[in-house]
Every structure is written in C-alpha cells, then in structure tokens.
Amino acid sequence: MLYLDNAATTAVRPEVLEAMAPYLTRWFGNPSSHHTVGEAAAEALAGARSRVARILGLRAGDIVFTSGGTEANNLAVKGIALGSWMPGEHRHVVTTPIEHESVLESVAFLERFHGFDATRVAVGPDARIDLDALRAALRADTAVVSIGYANNEVGTVQDVAAIAAETRSRGIPLHIDGVQAAGWLPLSAADLAYDAISLAGHKLGAPKGTGVLGVRGRIPLEPLLHGGGQERGRRSGTEDVAGAVGFATALELAEAERVATAARVALLRDAFIARVLAAVPQARLTGDAVHRLPGTASFTFAGTSGEAVLLELERRGIVSSSGSACAAGSDEPSHVLLAMGVAPEVAQTAVRFTFPHTLARSLDAVADAVAASVAAVQSSG
C-alpha cells in the first residue's frame, strides 16, 4: 500500500518514540509535583518548550502545549478575541471562508454567543487572499485576524508576511494556522511577523493529541480550560510531558530537513501534476499552481465521483483522500472549493494527494493509476 494522505496524519517517527519513552516509563511524574520524579518531568517539559520556541522565534513562555491543532486554533481565535473584550463591547474578527473548521466554527461561536461581527474575506479561484480586500475588512474594533498559512485541502500558501504588515500597522493581532505548513515552510515569527501560530504534532511524525499554540506574551489570552493554572494560566490540566517531548523532537527533525525535503518533494510533485493533467483530459488542478505546499497535489475530475475514484485507487494499492479528514463523511461539497468558485457538482469530484516528507521516488506509477481509476469510474457510470 502506498499512503498518500499525509495531510490527514503521519506515522510516528522512530526517533520521536525513542525520545518519548523515558517520560512514559521511568520519569512519568506530574511536572507540578515537588519530588524527584515530578521535577525530572518538569525539566523535560521546560526543555521541550524552549526547543519549540527556538524554532518559532518566540520566547519559551510564549509556548502553550495543547491537544492538537483544533484546540490550538480554538484557543487562538476565542482566546485572543475574548482576552481584551468586555461584555457588551462591540468587537470584530476577520478570517476567510477556506479555513479549517476549527477556525470557522470558533468565529461562528463568537458571533452567536458574544455578539461579535465577523468578516470572511473572499479568496480568488487559486485560494489566495486578496490583500486589498483584507485591508478593506480591517476595522478599529477588529480583535483578531485568523488566516491559514497553507490550506489543508488544496495546498495554497498565503503571503503571511504581507498580511502581517497590514495587521501590524493597525495594531491587530494576527493568528496563523500553521498546521499544514510545518515541515514544509519557514515558521519563524521573526520572518513572518505573526502574533500567534497553531501547530499539530501528528502532521510531523509526533503522536496524535499533541500540539502547540505559540502566542506572544503581550497578547491577552482568555483560557478555554480552567482549573490548576498550568501553562501560565492559559491551559489548565496536567501537561502531557511525553507528548511535549515528542512534539519538540518531531519539529526539530522536520525543521532540520525542511529545505532539502521541500525542494526534493516539490520536483516530484510537479512531475506528478504534469503527468496527471496530460493523462486525464478532465483533470483540473485546484489551488495555486506556484504558491503551493511541496507535498500537496489536488485535482477535480469532472464527470466522475471523487469517492468512487478513491475506491478505485485503493483497489490499486494507493490511499489518498477527497479533502480534509475533519470533514470526512459529509455529503456536502468542500467549502474550500465552493469558496474558490468551483461548481458544487465538480467539487464533489475532488481528490487530494499529500506526500510524505520522505518521498524520494517518481510518482509516475501513481499518475498512471489515477488515469486508470478515472477511466474505470467513467466506464462504470
């Protein structure tokens, strides 16, 4: 089986398991406990925090360990918006219609329960944000702007530095969802000038249930979880020390390999895209052809069923997906493709291929299997 659904999740790296093992066995203590076992856990947690902060260009105190990208996005959007909000005060948030559900539903929560206004800035057919439209959306009462660095369905990469220039000039906090970008794109706040970033460990070779919100200390943040005051009061609950160590290890490995990996995989991706487009007449690439994650190639195949094509591919030993795993099982067409102007009946034909960081060989055989699978679906229909 060839697994090409790495945007959904990745296998845990052996180095990560090895780094985590001592904190699941010998040094399993609660990092808030004042004894030898707890203090060893606390030291490991502090070390993991510093390691993550170094890569993100933030301070160690800016790092909040979470249960994954969904929690990090919720904490960023709700926490920043409510951190400086007073009940009865009129406030505003900005996002786009192509964001991950955890961002979109957090924005909807602020609208429903706290009376916030929300602007969802339109994107073009390539899923890129129009900076003029973003600029026009910003208001004096905008509490936070939340934008995905790289889209999880079509792979389009946004110009975060340009977006940050607009928000920073107005003193508006910028949160970026960096879940899909990690391991492929630069993450340092020094270069990108964001105020908060969400990451998920299971996209990087760390276990599911691990994640980070990096948020500058000057940004007020209302916690979602209350209790023991862990994570400097921003996320109560006993910290997952082994998970934090695993996350830091996976992030360090991905960052060390990132430049070479991105260049290698991008070449293989481009050859794959060209072969699919040549072999399947109705194939259309979705997302920006240039500003795209190195590990993502997504298509629509008009006149077919995306799910049927996926089944044919799996019969041929290739596992991929129709889009976000968080929306799996929905009969509705992708909200991302609809926002890009793709017709609903065409959006239902989408198939996404997302490659491992270890990809090192041609995908010609996969492209041929795509062509055969589309042909089989058409002939059966």
Side-chain angles (χ1 to χ4, degrees), residues 148-162:
Y149 189 178
N151 184 263
N152 63 316
E153 292 194 26
V154 299
T156 293
V157 176
Q158 306 296 344
D159 188 345
V160 170

Side-chain angles (χ1 to χ4, degrees), residues 346-359:
V346 176
Q348 295 277 28
T349 74
V351 176
R352 178 189 70 174
F353 302 90
T354 49
F355 311 128
H357 292 82
T358 55
L359 182 68

Side-chain angles (χ1 to χ4, degrees), residues 71-85 93 106 109-110 114 116 143-144 173 175 196 213 215 219-225 234:
E71 185 191 338
N73 282 339
N74 272 261
L75 180 56
V77 175
K78 298 173 185 174
I80 295 173
L82 296 175
S84 59
W85 175 77
V93 293
S106 293
F109 169 87
L110 292 170
H114 294 284
F116 277 64
V144 64
H175 163 249
L213 176 65
V215 56
I219 304 294
L221 189 73
E222 179 68 23
L224 303 182
L225 302 177
R234 296 168 298 183

Side-chain angles (χ1 to χ4, degrees), residues 17 22 41 64 98 127 134 136 155 161-162 214 233 250 304-305 309-310 330:
L17 286 174
V64 182
I98 65 168
L134 174 67
T304 69
S305 158
V309 172
L310 290 173
S330 172

Side-chain angles (χ1 to χ4, degrees), residues 121-212:
V121 178
V123 298
D126 55 2
R128 290 269 280 182
I129 298 168
D130 184 323
L131 286 176
D132 289 334
L134 174 67
R135 193 177 298 116
L138 301 179
R139 303 183 347 194
D141 63 347
T142 302
V144 64
V145 174
S146 182
I147 302 292
Y149 189 178
N151 184 263
N152 63 316
E153 292 194 26
V154 299
T156 293
V157 176
Q158 306 296 344
D159 188 345
V160 170
I163 293 168
E166 298 295 334
T167 57
R168 183 155 290 192
S169 67
R170 294 162 175 80
I172 299 169
L174 172 65
H175 163 249
I176 63 168
D177 177 355
V179 166
Q180 294 295 338
W184 298 114
L185 303 173
L187 297 177
S188 175
D191 299 323
L192 300 174
Y194 56 76
D195 296 292
I197 184 171
S198 301
L199 301 173
H202 73 111
K203 313 295 186 179
L204 292 166
K208 301 171 186 67
T210 62
V212 155

Side-chain angles (χ1 to χ4, degrees), residues 330-372:
S330 172
D331 292 330
E332 297 299 315
S334 159
H335 70 278
V336 173
L337 295 177
L338 295 181
M340 292 164 57
V342 177
E345 64 274 14
V346 176
Q348 295 277 28
T349 74
V351 176
R352 178 189 70 174
F353 302 90
T354 49
F355 311 128
H357 292 82
T358 55
L359 182 68
R361 62 183 178 87
S362 165
L363 294 165
D364 287 354
V366 177
D368 293 343
V370 171

